[in-house]
Amino acid sequence: MSYCTAIDFMTADRKALHKAYHDHLYGFPIHDDDELFCRLVLEINQAGLSWDTILKKEAGFRKAYDNFSIASVAAYTDADRERLLADAGIIRNRLKVNAAIENARTILELQKEHGSFENWLELHHPKTKEEWVKLFKKTFRFTGGEIVNEFLMSIGYLPGAHAPDCPVFEKVLEKKPLWTAGR
C-alpha cells in the first residue's frame, strides 16, 4: 500500500498529522541545503520508529538542532550532544544524535568542494537505489538502505513518493523532480 493510499485509511487525527507533509513536502524537490539536511536527520531518526513520531516531534527537532543550520550543528560540542540526549522533544538516541552532528560536518565539506549539498546530490544523479545506498554509506553515518531510499524519494531524486493516481502526483511533476529527467 502506498503512502497516498494509506492516508485514506488513517484515523482523522493521524490523517491531520500526515496530510500537510504528504500534500506539500513529500516527493517535492528541495533546493535549500539546511532543509535537505533537515530531511536527512528526520529520516535517520525515523529508523525503527513510526513516521507519526517524527512528524509529532518535528518542531522539537527544529528547536533542538537550531532549525537544522548545517553550520551550527557542525560546530556542536560534547555539551551540545548531552543537551540533545536530554531533550525529550526529540529522539534521544546517541547514535542518531552523533550521526546528525557528523553528517553536518560532512555536508560542510561537501559544500566547500561542490558549492552546496544539493550540487553534490545532483553530481551523482542519476543512480539506482543500490548505487545511492553505497554512496551514502561511504559518505554519511547511519544511512542504511531504507533511510537513503526514503530520503531520496522524499526530495524527488527517486520515484515512488506518490502513486500516479494520487492527486499530489501531478503537483510534484510540476516541480520537475530529478527522477523525471529524461522522461
Side-chain angles (χ1 to χ4, degrees):
M1 179 182 310
S2 73
Y3 190 41
C4 304
T5 307
I7 285 182
D8 293 337
F9 295 98
M10 292 179 180
T11 64
D13 289 345
R14 283 190 73 214
K15 189 180 284 191
L17 179 64
H18 285 262
K19 188 159 178 48
Y21 178 73
H22 172 271
D23 291 358
H24 304 290
L25 298 172
Y26 191 54
F28 289 87
I30 297 175
H31 302 292
D32 177 88
D33 277 6
D34 288 344
E35 283 303 309
L36 286 167
F37 175 60
C38 166
R39 193 66 58 83
L40 181 60
V41 171
L42 294 179
E43 291 295 348
I44 287 170
N45 276 276
Q46 189 272 327
L49 302 169
S50 73
W51 192 241
D52 291 18
T53 300
I54 301 307
L55 291 175
K56 288 175 185 174
K57 290 182 175 275
E58 182 183 358
F61 275 104
R62 285 191 180 279
K63 182 178 176 192
Y65 284 99
D66 293 307
N67 204 32
F68 295 103
S69 163
I70 295 165
S72 296
V73 176
Y76 280 2
T77 64
D78 287 340
D80 291 302
R81 286 178 208 272
E82 294 311 313
R83 171 185 58 80
L84 292 168
L85 290 170
D87 189 336
I90 65 169
I91 306 304
R92 296 175 287 180
N93 176 299
R94 187 170 300 276
L95 294 174
K96 293 176 181 182
V97 166
N98 288 341
I101 296 167
E102 294 305 317
N103 290 341
R105 292 174 181 162
T106 297
I107 292 170
L108 277 185
E109 291 302 314
L110 295 175
Q111 289 173 327
K112 286 178 191 171
E113 292 175 40
H114 303 283
S116 70
F117 183 28
E118 181 182 25
N119 287 347
W120 179 83
L121 288 164
E122 287 179 5
L123 173 70
H124 294 287
H125 181 77
K127 287 192 177 304
T128 65
K129 175 189 165 190
E130 292 74 23
E131 291 168 330
W132 278 113
V133 169
K134 192 174 189 177
L135 176 64
F136 267 67
K137 283 185 172 191
K138 184 176 87 175
T139 309
F140 298 106
R141 293 181 65 185
F142 211 102
T143 51
E146 195 57 31
I147 291 167
V148 172
N149 185 56
E150 279 298 323
F151 170 68
L152 293 169
M153 270 198 321
S154 79
I155 64 169
Y157 279 76
L158 289 176
H162 298 275
D165 63 344
C166 174
V168 177
F169 186 80
E170 290 299 322
K171 293 176 186 174
V172 169
L173 289 182
E174 290 171 11
K175 298 297 182 182
K176 298 181 176 29
L178 279 184
W179 66 264
T180 64
R183 269 183 85 190

